[in-house]
Amino acid sequence: DIQMTQSPSSLSASVGDRVTITCRASQSIKNYLNWYQQKPGKAPKLLIYGASSLQSGVPSRFSGSGSGTDFTLTIRSLQPEDFATYYCQQSYSTPLIFGGGTKVEIK
Amino acid sequence: EVHLMESGGGLVQPGGSLRLSCAASGFTFSSYSMSWVRQAPGKGLEWVSYISSGGGTIYYADSVKGRLTISRDNAKNSVYLQMNGLRAEDSAFYYCARAVVTAGDVFDIWGQGTMVTVSS
C-alpha cells in the first residue's frame, strides 16, 4: 500500500501569512494527489485535484504543486476562513489513502 | 443542487450490524463511482470502500474487508454500506462521497455524514 506522510501535523499562522503544507508519498503517484479542507463539524471539501488543478469555486490563493512523491499545498495569503485541517489523498491506486492531516490554527 | 445525504447511523453493540444509506440528488447518479470514508472522533480521514458506477468493481480497506459490504441501487439513486461484526474501532462519522475520474478517483462531493457508535 502507498503511504502518505503530511507535514507539519499542525501550524500556527496569522492572517495574511503564506502557508505551505507538504505531502510525501511512499512511491511515485505521478500527479494523482488531491487536497481537501475540513472545518470542525463539517464534511471535507475538495480544494485541489491532480496535484495542481483548482476545484471550481475555490479561491485562487490556494495552489498545489508537485509530482512523483513530493507535493505542496500553498495558501498565498491566509484568510480567517482558511483556519481548518487540510488533508492530502492519493488517487493512484487502492487503498485510497489520506495523509494524517495538517491543522492550521490562528497565531 | 448536487447533494448527498447519509442515514442509518446509531448506537450498536460490539458484534452487531447496521446498514448505512446515502441518497443522491441533483446529478446522474448512475454515471458516478461512489465511496465511503470514515473519521473517528478527533482523528483523520480513512477511506473505507469504493463501488464503480455500475457496481461491477468494488474495493475495500483491509480494516473492513469481510465485515462491511458496499452496494448501490441506481434506480433509487442510493449507495449502501452493510456493516456486520462491528467493533469499537469502527466507531466514526461515515461519509459517502462522489468520485470523479480526473487524476484517479477524486472525491468532489461529500455528504454531511452519519455517526456510528459501537459500544456496550
Side-chain angles (χ1 to χ4, degrees):
Chain A
D1 296 353
I2 298 171
Q3 302 304 313
M4 305 300 296
T5 304
Q6 244 181 279
S7 61
S9 56
S10 66
L11 64 89
S12 295
S14 301
V15 171
D17 284 353
R18 179 185 181 93
V19 169
T20 299
I21 299 168
T22 63
C23 184
R24 174 165 288 177
S26 59
Q27 65 185 73
S28 176
I29 56 171
K30 299 183 180 180
N31 69 329
Y32 289 51
L33 191 283
N34 313 301
W35 291 97
Y36 300 86
Q37 176 194 65
Q38 187 180 33
K39 296 181 180 180
K42 300 293 186 182
K45 171 188 172 184
L46 177 65
L47 297 177
I48 301 282
Y49 62 93
S52 60
S53 296
L54 195 67
Q55 174 69 351
S56 176
V58 174
S60 59
R61 62 181 180 272
F62 291 92
S63 64
S65 64
S67 66
T69 60
D70 293 311
F71 302 88
T72 300
L73 173 70
T74 300
I75 309 173
R76 189 178 65 240
S77 175
L78 199 66
Q79 297 301 300
E81 59 268 30
D82 301 336
F83 291 96
T85 301
Y86 295 84
Y87 295 92
C88 63
Q89 176 242 335
Q90 67 85 10
S91 50
Y92 183 76
S93 65
T94 56
L96 302 171
I97 301 293
F98 289 87
T102 297
K103 187 174 184 179
V104 177
E105 299 175 301
I106 302 172
K107 182 183 285 184
Chain B
E1 182 189 1
V2 176
H3 193 62
L4 297 171
M5 179 168 289
E6 302 91 340
S7 60
L11 175 64
V12 62
Q13 291 188 338
S17 298
L18 214 52
R19 189 196 195 208
L20 305 184
S21 299
C22 171
S25 59
F27 64 98
T28 306
F29 179 73
S30 59
S31 296
Y32 290 88
S33 301
M34 299 293 295
S35 269
W36 287 93
V37 177
R38 69 184 180 184
Q39 185 171 37
K43 302 297 184 182
L45 300 171
E46 180 188 15
W47 170 78
V48 172
S49 185
Y50 162 100
I51 187 167
S52 61
S53 58
T57 299
I58 287 174
Y59 300 112
Y60 297 100
D62 285 347
S63 58
V64 305
K65 207 171 289 184
R67 301 185 300 116
L68 275 57
T69 302
I70 193 171
S71 62
R72 66 188 296 158
D73 185 337
N74 285 343
K76 294 184 177 179
N77 290 342
S78 294
V79 61
Y80 308 99
L81 190 65
Q82 178 66 43
M83 310 172 74
N84 298 329
L86 284 165
R87 307 166 179 168
E89 55 265 35
D90 295 316
S91 295
F93 252 98
Y94 284 74
Y95 297 99
C96 65
R98 186 178 82 169
V100 291
V101 180
T102 53
D105 289 289
V106 179
F107 305 133
D108 71 330
I109 303 294
W110 297 65
Q112 87 291 345
T114 187
M115 185 67 199
V116 172
T117 302
V118 183
S119 174
S120 55

